[in-house]
Amino acid sequence: MLSIINSSNIIGIESFLTKVEVDITNGIPCFNIVGLPSTEIRESRERVKSAIINSGYKFPNSRIVVNLSPADMKKEGSFLDLSICIGLLRNCIKKSDEYLIESMFIGELSLDGNLRRVRGILPIIIGAKECKIKRVFIPVENFRESIFVDGIDIIPIKTLNECIDYLNNNMTIINNKLDYINSEDIKYDEDFKDVKGNYFVNRGAEIAAAGNHNLLMVGPPGSGKTMIAKRIRTILPEIDKDEILEVSKIYSVAGLIDKEIGIVKERPFRSPHHTSTKQSLIGGGNNPKPGEVVLSHRGVLFLDEIAEFDRRILETLRQPIEDKYINISRVKYSVSYPCNLLLIGAMNPCPCGYYMSDKECNCKQYEVNRYKNKISGPLLDRFDMFVEVNQVSFDDLKTCKKSESSSDIKKRVENARKIQYKRFKNDIIKTNNEIKSSKIDQYCEMDNDAINVIRLIFNRYKLSNRSYTKLLKMARTIADLDESLIINSSHINEAFSYRKAYYTYFG
């Protein structure tokens, strides 16, 4: 008897259809799984056998061969337990072969027949929909993770017995879906109104959020760099449904989805420690997993004390920041992860932290230079904005006047983003930071005064092509915040004011 059951497996954050072919024939009793199964799939033989027996069914005392197709792709994880069981118990199921061809079965089995949660269910559901599968049977603990995918039936089950009963029309399962995602109820403890002084830096954070421009803050310890960085996510625009599904796919594969919420409803904010390894930051391993850069997709990656990171690890960020994706290659396949993020860096100006501040610096000049050189020129060139964060004066700390609240800043940021979405509606990009060099002239139109100002800046500071385009993209964002169609000289000057710190400190 041959049964073919649909299941799925994952490479990176994408799934591929896996046909579980179960052949039961006469011969010496054995149970073999072929088709490049991993160790956890080979061990499923014992889980499947115990689950079938403990659920009250008879395990076939025959020669059993399970082939996982396509046979040339490695299969990993515990996704296939349920589909193998269904293939072995085909004689106990009344549904037609046509029904099973339109169905997919995903889930890990315990020895008593209960279904356990698996990681990566969201990309599996999306992949099943693309393969024209009509319904997917999944563990009930994964149900909330899949309820926002339209156009496919999700059937949450608790046990193997419950699955068989449903297939034999002996029971019904309620599977209410949600057709919208409400992220407006997210509240943050941080707010920009708590920031005293450094209003220039606050404005820089607003511009960075509006155009998704990478920002590096330099200043002495305790001046508020981390405080400001943590509040940038409070002014970012609400994450839309497409972005939610993008980010949730990544977190689903990484096993970081909150099972109570079932989906990522806010923009990620990741802040890895400076002792992080290259694999934890970029991702990889024998079975490639997303790193912090990928987990920051559509959100913020905050590198606090960036100069304390291993320089070789920091250099691995150069290509992902520029290309907006990471490609991890293995012998038989490669994995591509998206990483379109807002990079925020913070560092002290020297080892003691007080160089160019009101407090005396105890460092020698060569120590300051060596500290600055921990960040290479090409990596610095990936940052659009540089700001000096100064120590806040006593008068600013004790003033009763509060800074502008995050909600007020967010309104301007969202308005600027709406202008950008409208501008790029016929393009594949969303924000000004993503404008390609070939389209700079199209999207960054300047008046004559602005052209004269940027010509002077270009010639005096010997800007590279990348620095020039970044300056124009920033000016475009500032113009959007002003709701101006044309970039004028004031927009250019303000944009360059957020590049001056680079020439003051790093130049």
Side-chain angles (χ1 to χ4, degrees):
M1 182 191 75
L2 175 63
S3 302
I4 301 177
I5 307 298
N6 292 321
S7 191
S8 187
N9 217 263
I10 287 179
I11 293 182
I13 60 170
E14 302 298 331
S15 66
F16 63 93
L17 182 65
T18 303
K19 298 281 186 179
V20 179
E21 303 170 349
V22 181
D23 187 33
I24 304 175
T25 58
N26 294 328
I28 298 174
C30 64
F31 190 175
N32 294 319
I33 300 178
V34 297
L36 289 183
S38 63
T39 301
E40 55 266 35
I41 294 178
R42 293 182 190 278
E43 292 175 348
S44 68
R45 293 176 297 185
E46 302 303 324
R47 294 195 298 272
V48 166
K49 183 176 181 179
S50 295
I52 289 176
I53 294 172
N54 291 327
S55 297
Y57 300 97
K58 183 178 179 181
F59 187 81
N61 189 29
S62 307
R63 183 176 183 273
I64 302 171
V65 177
V66 176
N67 179 48
L68 309 178
S69 176
D72 61 341
M73 297 184 68
K74 188 171 180 60
K75 323 300 185 305
E76 297 178 328
S78 55
F79 310 102
L80 307 178
D81 289 10
L82 180 60
S83 54
I84 294 173
C85 263
I86 297 300
L88 291 171
L89 297 176
R90 181 66 183 91
N91 286 337
C92 302
I93 297 171
K94 296 178 181 178
K95 291 290 186 183
S96 65
D97 289 340
E98 183 181 355
Y99 181 91
L100 294 180
I101 289 172
E102 297 171 344
S103 306
M104 179 180 284
F105 298 84
I106 302 293
E108 176 187 333
L109 284 166
S110 62
L111 298 183
D112 59 358
N114 287 315
L115 255 74
R116 290 177 173 165
R117 177 187 179 89
V118 294
R119 62 176 179 83
I121 202 70
L122 187 57
I124 286 175
I125 300 294
I126 295 173
K129 179 182 174 182
E130 293 172 351
C131 292
K132 310 301 182 184
I133 299 294
K134 291 186 177 180
R135 66 195 67 85
V136 183
F137 293 76
I138 64 171
V140 69
E141 291 183 358
N142 286 116
F143 181 57
R144 289 194 62 82
E145 195 174 330
S146 61
I147 54 181
F148 299 103
V149 182
D150 303 321
I152 189 169
D153 292 332
I154 309 298
I155 303 168
I157 53 177
K158 297 178 181 177
T159 65
L160 176 60
N161 272 329
E162 192 173 284
C163 184
I164 300 297
D165 288 342
Y166 181 88
L167 292 172
N168 290 333
N169 300 319
N170 294 330
M171 68 175 297
T172 57
I173 295 175
I174 299 174
N175 55 346
N176 295 326
K177 282 192 174 186
L178 298 180
D179 58 359
Y180 70 94
I181 302 171
N182 182 16
S183 59
E184 295 180 357
D185 57 348
I186 297 172
K187 304 296 181 184
Y188 296 104
D189 294 330
E190 303 91 356
D191 197 294
F192 265 98
K193 67 182 180 182
D194 302 325
V195 180
K196 301 289 183 71
N198 282 314
Y199 304 111
F200 178 75
V201 186
N202 289 0
R203 171 66 173 173
E206 178 182 341
I207 296 169
N212 212 48
H213 301 292
N214 300 328
L215 170 67
L216 179 62
M217 295 179 285
V218 182
S223 56
K225 301 185 296 295
T226 303
M227 184 181 188
I228 292 170
K230 288 183 176 180
R231 282 157 176 75
I232 288 179
R233 64 173 175 170
T234 68
I235 61 174
L236 289 172
E238 299 292 344
I239 187 169
D240 62 37
K241 185 174 181 179
D242 290 338
E243 292 174 332
I244 284 177
L245 291 178
E246 284 180 41
V247 176
S248 296
K249 279 176 64 176
I250 296 169
Y251 277 70
S252 178
V253 168
L256 298 176
I257 288 282
D258 188 326
K259 65 180 182 180
E260 298 299 326
I261 300 175
I263 204 123
V264 177
K265 297 174 64 177
E266 59 182 305
R267 295 190 181 276
F269 181 89
R270 307 293 297 185
S271 181
H273 194 261
H274 63 262
T275 57
S276 298
T277 63
K278 181 173 71 173
Q279 186 170 313
S280 67
L281 193 63
I282 296 297
N286 293 329
N287 180 18
K289 296 287 183 67
E292 293 290 340
V293 175
V294 180
L295 294 172
S296 305
H297 180 59
R298 298 297 180 189
V300 177
L301 175 64
F302 175 44
L303 300 182
D304 200 5
E305 303 295 347
I306 187 173
E308 299 299 332
F309 281 78
D310 187 292
R311 176 166 175 158
R312 291 172 298 177
I313 294 175
L314 285 178
E315 292 305 298
T316 61
L317 294 175
R318 285 159 53 176
Q319 186 176 350
I321 293 171
E322 192 74 13
D323 297 338
K324 312 297 183 187
Y325 71 90
I326 293 175
N327 195 52
I328 299 174
S329 298
R330 293 294 178 263
V331 174
K332 293 188 176 181
Y333 61 90
S334 63
V335 176
S336 184
Y337 293 116
C339 57
N340 192 343
L341 54 89
L342 173 58
L343 177 63
I344 306 295
M347 64 177 289
N348 295 326
C350 67
C352 79
Y354 296 104
Y355 179 68
M356 295 174 63
S357 71
D358 295 335
K359 192 171 180 178
E360 183 182 359
C361 173
N362 298 318
C363 302
K364 306 296 183 183
Q365 187 59 47
Y366 76 88
E367 293 177 318
V368 176
N369 293 336
R370 185 171 59 185
Y371 192 79
K372 290 189 292 184
N373 290 334
K374 286 186 175 183
I375 306 177
S376 69
L379 181 59
L380 285 172
D381 214 25
R382 265 64 177 183
F383 284 96
D384 306 286
M385 308 175 66
F386 300 85
V387 294
E388 292 183 48
V389 187
N390 300 313
Q391 286 282 12
V392 182
S393 67
F394 178 81
D395 290 338
D396 283 336
L397 282 174
K398 297 306 292 181
T399 182
C400 296
K401 180 183 177 181
K402 289 191 174 182
S403 299
E404 205 171 7
S405 68
S406 291
S407 59
D408 292 336
I409 300 174
K410 185 175 181 178
K411 289 176 183 177
R412 294 196 297 271
V413 170
E414 287 183 329
N415 186 57
R417 284 287 183 105
K418 287 177 183 176
I419 293 172
Q420 293 169 59
Y421 294 159
K422 185 177 180 180
R423 177 185 301 127
F424 305 130
K425 64 181 179 180
N426 296 322
D427 213 326
I428 59 173
I429 62 178
K430 287 189 173 184
T431 60
N432 290 331
N433 185 45
E434 301 173 59
I435 299 175
K436 301 297 183 183
S437 299
S438 59
K439 295 190 176 182
I440 281 289
D441 293 335
Q442 175 185 345
Y443 292 130
C444 300
E445 185 179 354
M446 296 180 282
D447 62 22
N448 291 330
D449 288 341
I451 294 173
N452 292 331
V453 169
I454 201 167
R455 180 186 291 113
L456 291 172
I457 293 172
F458 185 91
N459 292 331
R460 179 176 178 181
Y461 291 94
K462 303 292 187 288
L463 299 186
S464 66
N465 289 344
R466 183 185 284 124
S467 297
Y468 169 73
T469 56
K470 285 183 180 295
L471 183 61
L472 272 181
K473 292 174 188 178
M474 262 197 294
R476 176 69 270 170
T477 299
I478 296 169
D480 290 341
L481 287 168
D482 287 347
E483 300 184 18
S484 173
L485 292 175
I486 307 296
I487 298 172
N488 60 40
S489 59
S490 65
H491 301 144
I492 296 292
N493 285 322
E494 184 176 3
F496 185 67
S497 70
Y498 291 101
R499 300 282 300 180
K500 280 185 178 178
Y502 172 80
Y503 300 104
T504 303
Y505 179 65
F506 295 103

